[in-house]
Amino acid sequence: MRVVAALVACLSPLFAVAAQVPPAPAKPATTVTVYRCTSATGKVSLQDAPCAAGQAQQARQMQRPVDAPARPVPSSPVPPPAAVAVPPARDVVYLAPPRPLYECVTPDGERYTSDDGRGNPRWVPLWTLGIPVARRPMPGGGIGSPAPPSHPAPPPRDRLRPLVGGGGTWVRDDCAILPPAEACARLRDRRAVLRTRFFNAQEKERDALRTEERALNARLDNDCGGR
């Protein structure tokens, strides 16, 4: 009896606490009964309660609809990074330095152009350059052909080397560089002359004229900014 009394004394507080705890809410049924009712006039209705008296009744167990889970609220979209404007690529054209054009003058005043500034060579006697010419005495006291000087004077600058044993030397016409605008005008004039000659030229000469005109066009594009 004492043991039973002790057990009752120990379990009494537990029963008291259990009585104070509210029961857990019952889970809703996963199925539902749907009633199909047909009246005497043939009208059909569906309802979740039994049919009224006098109506034909059909009951069917169906899956209870379940609400769809709440859709997550979309967070504010992160804006894409701003596109960096890339400048369009530019064509780079490397041009060669303009080539100079020279105008040369002959002793007769005739003018022509040269690409290298070296005029046409011509043969002139030494005495025309102010170089003294010695003559060898002939037998009997006469004067014969001039004797070559033992120490000839050096030829002027930009002149060709004198021929050994001759009475003259090669010299070149004087040349001066043309301004860029005048040089371009002379190149276009030269191309116009080539085109005029082209119509009356033979086929072999036409090939040479075409080659020369292509070279002129390329030089005009590079040196003069266009044709």
Side-chain angles (χ1 to χ4, degrees):
M1 293 297 292
R2 293 181 180 181
V3 174
V4 174
L7 290 175
V8 171
C10 293
L11 295 177
S12 296
L14 296 179
F15 284 110
V17 173
Q20 295 177 0
V21 176
K27 294 183 179 181
T30 58
T31 60
V32 62
T33 303
V34 178
Y35 297 90
R36 184 176 186 272
C37 304
T38 306
S39 64
T41 58
K43 183 179 179 180
V44 177
S45 62
L46 298 176
Q47 57 191 39
D48 59 353
C51 300
Q55 292 183 344
Q57 175 179 294
Q58 292 180 350
R60 178 174 298 180
Q61 296 290 330
M62 300 184 65
Q63 189 73 26
R64 180 180 292 276
V66 179
D67 295 336
R71 300 178 58 182
V73 179
S75 59
S76 57
V78 178
V84 179
V86 179
R90 296 183 179 179
D91 296 334
V92 179
V93 180
Y94 295 94
L95 300 179
R99 295 167 52 190
L101 187 66
Y102 300 84
E103 183 182 59
C104 305
V105 184
T106 66
D108 299 333
E110 182 181 355
R111 298 178 180 272
Y112 61 93
T113 57
S114 171
D115 289 334
D116 55 10
R118 304 178 63 196
N120 294 333
R122 50 190 170 85
W123 177 261
V124 297
L126 291 176
W127 62 267
T128 61
L129 303 177
I131 299 177
V133 179
R135 296 178 180 272
R136 288 196 302 266
M138 296 180 64
I143 302 298
S145 60
S150 58
H151 300 286
R157 188 178 179 181
D158 79 354
R159 293 177 179 171
L160 298 179
R161 184 176 181 181
L163 295 180
V164 178
T169 186
W170 290 98
V171 297
R172 293 184 180 274
D173 297 332
D174 295 331
C175 301
I177 190 170
L178 291 171
E182 180 63 21
C184 293
R186 297 289 182 93
L187 293 175
R188 293 187 178 95
D189 292 343
R190 174 60 181 169
R191 184 180 59 183
V193 172
L194 294 180
R195 291 176 176 177
T196 302
R197 287 176 50 189
F198 185 84
F199 293 101
N200 299 325
Q202 299 295 328
E203 189 60 32
K204 290 185 178 180
E205 185 182 3
R206 286 187 173 185
D207 293 339
L209 294 176
R210 291 190 188 97
T211 302
E212 187 175 355
E213 183 175 352
R214 284 198 301 268
L216 282 174
N217 289 334
R219 186 169 179 180
L220 286 170
D221 291 339
N222 185 83
D223 298 355
C224 305
R227 307 179 187 181

